[in-house]
Amino acid sequence: MNARQTSIESYHRLENLAEKRRKVYDIIDHMGEACNLDIADNLGWDINRVTPRTNELVKDGMVEESKRDISRTGRKVIYWRVKS
């Protein structure tokens, strides 16, 4: 599969994302990488609303783990990035 085909397929998958997943995807894409807390803060959502969306995006192959690091809360968290 060439890069153009991959880009087209990714575009079509984005069109079909549910609104909440799309918002989470867009924040991760905009920030480059983000943990669930960063996403929640940017969207003004509770983190319990974000976590299922990131899990769905990972399952769909749209988002992947970028790194594990200490967040501003002092807890070790997963940072997500858009899968290329």
Side-chain angles (χ1 to χ4, degrees):
M1 184 178 314
N2 64 39
R4 181 164 163 67
Q5 274 182 302
T6 303
S7 295
I8 291 169
E9 287 180 11
S10 293
Y11 175 78
H12 288 297
R13 286 194 305 193
L14 282 176
E15 283 184 326
N16 295 326
L17 285 179
E19 183 180 347
K20 290 178 188 174
R21 275 191 279 169
R22 176 59 184 243
K23 287 181 180 181
V24 169
Y25 179 91
D26 287 344
I27 290 292
I28 297 168
D29 190 38
H30 174 75
M31 294 182 72
E33 67 179 12
C35 68
N36 288 343
L37 183 59
D38 293 337
I39 298 164
D41 287 349
N42 274 277
L43 292 173
W45 293 359
D46 183 77
I47 195 166
N48 293 327
R49 193 171 166 194
V50 172
T51 304
R53 305 298 79 81
T54 54
N55 290 337
E56 291 166 358
L57 289 166
V58 169
K59 182 179 175 190
D60 290 344
M62 306 287 295
V63 168
E64 64 186 358
E65 184 177 324
S66 173
K67 66 182 179 185
R68 291 177 186 241
D69 203 355
I70 306 299
S71 75
R72 65 183 181 273
T73 63
R75 298 181 137 207
K76 191 169 189 174
V77 298
I78 298 172
Y79 284 80
W80 306 105
R81 67 177 171 214
V82 170
K83 196 169 182 179
S84 49

